[in-house]
Amino acid sequence: TTVAGATTTSAKMRTFQALKLKAVHFTVVTSGTAAGHGYTIQEGTTSIGGVVMGTNTSGYSTSVDMSHEAIAAGAAVSLLSLADVVGVVDAVLEFETDKAAVVTK
């Protein structure tokens, strides 16, 4: 679950091996009060995708296809909120293990 607040980082995770980000799924928990309720999907500080939720009501769901975006081992993946200060979503980051990646033991 994300936290309310404009330009706030949420849902941060760090990978231990190379992964492929297949999709990010969003469900509104608390409706945003502005058209700018949304999120930038980031690897480190680089934007790799995004979604605008606007003022959709609680329970509204949508997904962003990430087309198997390559995520480097040790990279941080997070969501950065846009302009809305109220909206909150549940977010699921759907990954696939990069079968060519070296597994740390």
Side-chain angles (χ1 to χ4, degrees):
T1 302
T2 60
V3 293
T7 62
T8 302
T9 300
S10 297
K12 191 172 188 176
M13 61 139 323
R14 190 170 297 278
T15 67
F16 70 94
Q17 76 178 68
L19 299 172
K20 293 183 180 181
L21 182 55
K22 295 174 65 175
V24 182
H25 309 282
F26 297 89
T27 301
V28 173
V29 175
T30 304
S31 299
T33 57
H37 176 215
Y39 299 88
T40 299
I41 304 161
Q42 295 187 300
E43 179 180 1
T45 57
T46 302
S47 173
I48 58 173
V51 66
V52 175
M53 305 299 284
T55 56
N56 286 302
T57 58
S58 179
Y60 170 81
S61 293
T62 192
S63 296
V64 176
D65 177 13
M66 297 302 297
S67 297
H68 294 83
E69 176 78 26
I71 305 296
V77 178
S78 61
L79 302 177
L80 178 66
S81 61
L82 301 178
D84 189 79
V85 297
V86 176
V88 175
V89 298
D90 274 335
V92 175
L93 286 73
E94 182 181 352
F95 289 98
E96 177 180 294
T97 302
D98 184 343
K99 291 168 183 50
V102 174
V103 178
T104 305
K105 294 184 180 186

